Amino acid sequence: MNPIDHARNPSYGATRPAIATISSNKVIRNTYLLLSMTLLFSALTAGAAMALNLPHPGIVITLIGYFGLLFLTTKFRNQGLGVAFVFALTGFMGYTLGPILNLYLGLPNGGQTVMMAFGATAAIFVGLSAYALTTRKDFSYMGGFLTAGILVAFLAALAAVFFTIPALSLAVSAAFVLLMCGLILYETSNIIHGGETNYVMATVTLYVSIFNLFTSLLQLLGFAGGDE
């Protein structure tokens, strides 16, 4: 900082934190607005898939669709097209969720299991987000652990699917619950402290956290309730 500028305007240096705060508040506002719209859109596509009794696309198509749309969203994140791909991604994930919900709703106590998973997901997300926003703690130190943990859990989930290992699948679900809780704290903190300035990518991260948290809780609660 130029000392002459500081002498002319003592508040020169003090404006930087204020500008950073305004910028982070804007990202937070845009992120939660887009997140709420994508969650609603995802719920609509899930509802449509349930009403039409559409089959699950399968693990291979799901992975191709998810990573393909995620790549396009990331590539166009600084353009208006990025928002369109966010809706395409979340809509696709909603469609994959529809057949899963139909499966649970067709089981004894399935409706109760789905509502419990939904309620727990909402409570956890709101609670963790509120904690990060009010305390403004920096959770950036969790980044490396979360990256490694998610990668290991993802590979373990693939192994559980391809080799049909129920115990491993449950362990992965439990791990994902913890990892997604950490990711919600990390990403919210990242927005607050300026580590994430793109609301499109922030929305995707939070949406994926919520989606994985819900499906993981659904499996754990379903197992605990004897639905599986």
Side-chain angles (χ1 to χ4, degrees):
M1 179 177 64
N2 191 325
I4 296 178
D5 291 333
H6 183 74
R8 291 174 178 172
N9 184 7
S11 64
Y12 177 85
T15 61
R16 292 185 178 181
I19 292 174
T21 300
I22 293 172
S23 178
S24 66
N25 288 341
K26 182 178 180 181
V27 176
I28 291 171
R29 183 175 62 253
N30 290 339
T31 296
Y32 282 102
L33 177 61
L34 183 58
L35 180 63
S36 62
M37 290 190 293
T38 54
L39 286 172
L40 177 59
F41 183 65
S42 184
L44 290 175
T45 57
M50 293 172 67
L52 296 173
N53 200 28
L54 297 178
H56 194 276
I59 184 67
V60 175
I61 295 179
T62 297
L63 291 177
I64 293 174
Y66 171 72
F67 284 109
L69 290 170
L70 180 61
F71 170 78
L72 292 172
T73 301
T74 304
K75 182 178 181 180
F76 295 100
R77 63 186 180 275
N78 294 317
Q79 303 176 29
L81 195 57
V83 175
F85 281 121
V86 171
F87 279 98
L89 172 62
T90 56
F92 175 74
M93 296 308 292
Y95 155 60
T96 65
L97 183 61
I100 297 175
L101 292 177
N102 268 345
L103 176 63
Y104 276 91
L105 291 175
L107 298 172
N109 301 319
Q112 182 180 0
T113 299
V114 170
M115 292 308 299
M116 287 178 62
F118 176 79
T121 300
I124 290 172
F125 177 73
V126 171
L128 292 177
S129 298
Y131 178 76
L133 289 169
T134 54
T135 65
R136 304 186 72 85
K137 288 187 177 180
D138 187 357
F139 292 97
S140 60
Y141 64 89
M142 299 173 63
F145 168 77
L146 289 172
T147 300
I150 291 171
L151 178 59
V152 171
F154 174 72
L155 294 175
L158 291 180
V161 170
F162 286 114
F163 296 105
T164 316
I165 309 175
L168 179 58
S169 181
L170 288 174
V172 169
S173 294
F176 260 112
V177 169
L178 296 177
L179 289 168
M180 293 306 104
C181 287
L183 188 57
I184 291 169
L185 287 173
Y186 170 80
E187 187 63 15
T188 306
S189 170
N190 214 19
I191 297 170
I192 294 171
H193 297 285
E196 179 59 84
T197 58
N198 188 291
Y199 71 92
V200 169
M201 297 311 300
T203 298
V204 170
T205 301
L206 291 176
Y207 174 86
V208 171
S209 301
I210 294 170
F211 184 91
N212 286 325
L213 180 60
F214 174 71
T215 54
S216 297
L217 286 172
L218 190 61
Q219 184 171 9
L220 291 173
L221 292 171
F223 177 79
D227 290 339
E228 294 186 352

